[in-house]
């Protein structure tokens, strides 16, 4: 059905977005037999139409696809071009460049470039910040013992729906190495995380953290943590 919808737009109307969608359908075999070569051909056609989403899709295929399709230098080049454009996909390109420089697959790890691209992706200067970039920056600051910056970045990601950042916030405020350690604040973030997580290993882990805090908090502190969680969710539009 999607193929029937997008093919006339891609072939007759020369619509770049339709060409990008058609490329993804072929490349990933969405409802049809997979044909990566045909997918790449349509994605390149869409790029010729300046369709920004096609750059992201093609770079991903060239970076993570089967070995015969991989072209790390080309993936890097495409993302770098996409990162310098100003559209809804700019922050996604910046975020992926940060990942590439940190994974050490396409090139040696370059920590300075990781920070540079993630900071750009997390900026509020063009479109909304990238939640994944904010989450990773929070994690990197936490690993460096920079807890204030870690909390700021992690909460920014949490506001955008990054559930893993809620857990990181709980760990940040529970850390005895944190100069502004606050177990009530940690409990608050665990309550919010527990409500957001699906059943599974991570939710069980959060419950374990909560049990540990229960033993350290007074009844008044527990009530304060629950009230803080209620206020935060109400303020940022999350269901109670």
């Amino acid at each position: 059905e999607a193929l029937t919808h997008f093919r006339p737009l891609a072939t007759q109307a020369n619509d770049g977005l339709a060409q990008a969608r058609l490329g993804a359908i072929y490349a990933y075999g969405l409802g049809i037999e997979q044909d990566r070569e045909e997918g790449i051909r349509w994605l390149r056609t869409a790029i010729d139409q300046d369709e920004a989403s096609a750059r992201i899709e093609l770079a991903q295929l060239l970076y993570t696809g089967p070995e015969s399709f991989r072209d790390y230098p080309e993936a890097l080049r495409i993302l770098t071009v996409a990162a310098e454009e100003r559209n809804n996909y700019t922050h996604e390109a910046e975020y992926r460049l940060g990942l590439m420089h940190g994974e050490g697959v396409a090139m040696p790890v370059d920590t300075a470039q990781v920070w540079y691209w993630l900071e750009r992706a997390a900026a509020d200067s063009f479109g909304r910040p990238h939640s994944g970039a904010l989450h990773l920056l929070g994690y990197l600051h936490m690993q460096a013992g920079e807890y204030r910056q870690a909390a700021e970045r992690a909460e920014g990601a949490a506001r955008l729906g990054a559930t893993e950042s809620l857990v990181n916030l709980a760990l940040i405020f529970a850390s005895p190495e944190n100069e502004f350690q606050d177990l009530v604040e940690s409990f608050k973030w665990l309550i919010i995380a527990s409500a957001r997580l699906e059943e599974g290993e991570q939710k069980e882990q959060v419950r374990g953290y909560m049990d540990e805090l229960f033993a350290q908090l007074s009844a008044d502190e527990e009530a304060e943590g629950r009230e803080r969680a209620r206020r935060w969710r109400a303020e940022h539009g999350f269901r109670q």
Side-chain angles (χ1 to χ4, degrees):
E1 184 178 340
L3 190 66
T4 303
H5 173 72
F6 288 120
R7 183 181 287 281
L9 293 172
T11 57
Q12 298 169 24
N14 206 28
D15 184 283
L17 180 59
Q19 291 165 348
R21 295 291 184 268
L22 199 59
I25 288 170
Y26 278 111
Y28 298 107
L30 304 177
I32 62 170
E33 185 176 351
Q34 189 176 45
D35 187 340
R36 289 191 178 90
E37 288 186 359
E38 184 69 0
I40 288 174
R41 185 179 76 81
W42 277 112
L43 288 171
R44 290 195 183 279
T45 300
I47 289 172
D48 289 340
Q49 302 290 333
D50 288 326
E51 174 53 46
S53 65
R55 296 190 195 279
I56 303 298
E57 289 285 2
L58 181 56
Q60 185 69 10
L61 275 173
L62 297 176
Y63 184 60
T64 64
E67 189 171 348
S68 60
F69 285 88
R70 288 180 199 164
D71 187 338
Y72 296 144
E74 179 66 358
L76 179 63
R77 185 194 69 78
I78 290 170
L79 285 178
T80 302
V81 170
E84 297 306 326
E85 296 178 337
R86 290 293 175 256
N87 53 52
N88 292 335
Y89 294 91
T90 300
H91 283 336
E92 183 65 28
E94 293 166 339
Y95 170 66
R96 295 190 186 206
L97 282 167
L99 294 181
M100 286 180 71
H101 283 287
E103 289 170 349
V105 174
M107 66 201 80
V109 172
D110 187 332
T111 304
Q113 286 291 300
V114 172
W115 282 95
Y116 172 74
W117 287 112
L118 291 181
E119 289 285 3
R120 279 187 49 163
D124 202 14
S125 56
F126 184 81
R128 81 175 195 171
H130 193 288
S131 62
L134 284 167
H135 172 73
L136 283 179
L137 286 169
Y139 175 79
L140 291 173
H141 279 299
M142 183 169 66
Q143 291 297 104
E146 298 165 347
Y147 293 105
R148 194 173 299 279
Q149 297 96 318
E152 180 182 341
R153 294 300 196 172
E155 183 167 0
R159 289 174 181 173
L160 295 173
T163 304
E164 288 186 2
S165 284
L166 295 169
V167 180
N168 283 355
L169 281 161
L171 296 176
I172 289 166
F173 283 99
S175 174
E177 298 176 3
N178 181 356
E179 65 183 38
F180 56 103
Q181 182 191 42
D182 184 339
L183 296 185
V184 174
E185 188 71 4
S186 178
F187 185 60
K188 159 193 156 180
W189 292 115
L190 288 175
I191 292 169
I192 298 169
S194 180
R196 297 284 304 281
L197 287 168
E198 300 290 338
E199 289 295 334
E201 183 178 343
Q202 191 174 31
K203 188 158 186 169
E204 285 301 313
Q205 187 179 42
V206 166
R207 286 172 176 154
Y209 292 149
M210 292 179 74
D211 288 342
E212 290 178 18
L213 279 181
F214 275 136
Q216 301 178 60
L217 298 177
S218 67
D220 287 345
E221 287 172 329
E222 179 188 336
E224 172 62 20
R226 295 187 184 281
E227 175 58 19
R228 289 186 193 181
R230 185 199 66 77
R231 288 200 304 264
W232 189 89
R233 286 184 294 203
E235 181 181 351
H236 298 292
F238 290 95
R239 289 185 300 176
Q240 300 296 321

